[in-house]
């Protein structure tokens, strides 16, 4: 589901959402935890991420972070 907004995917990514490909896994894990705890904002879309992240298990957060970190950095 993450690729729908953050790419990479078959459609052009909406530039309002950040690229996650190639970001360090530890950074992505931290951001997801902060969203889940309601301590991360930053845009008008933060509430969407807070709701999504709050439903993720620690294992799902780790899996998503590792998956995006393993992708080539977007250019």
């Amino acid at each position: 589901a993450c690729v729908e907004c953050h790419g990479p995917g078959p459609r052009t990514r909406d530039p309002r959402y950040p690229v996650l490909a190639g970001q360090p896994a530890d950074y992505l894990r931290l951001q997801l935890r902060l969203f889940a705890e309601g301590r991360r904002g930053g845009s008008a879309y933060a509430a969407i991420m807070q709701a999504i992240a709050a439903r993720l298990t620690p294992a799902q957060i780790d899996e998503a972070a590792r998956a995006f970190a393993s992708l080539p950095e977007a250019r």
Side-chain angles (χ1 to χ4, degrees), residues 3-74:
V3 298
E4 291 297 318
C5 295
H6 296 284
R11 296 181 299 185
T12 302
R13 185 186 60 79
D14 187 328
R16 294 177 293 179
Y17 306 115
V19 174
L20 302 182
Q23 295 287 335
D26 287 341
Y27 171 78
L28 295 171
R29 274 187 212 96
L30 174 61
Q31 299 313 306
L32 284 170
R33 287 184 191 125
L34 291 173
F35 273 123
E37 296 167 1
R39 298 189 308 140
R40 170 76 163 81
S43 78
Y45 305 101
I48 295 169
M49 279 305 304
Q50 289 168 350
I52 292 167
R55 292 191 307 255
L56 297 175
T57 67
Q60 289 170 323
I61 287 174
D62 186 59
E63 184 178 342
R66 285 186 291 111
F68 275 101
S70 73
L71 297 172
E73 189 175 327

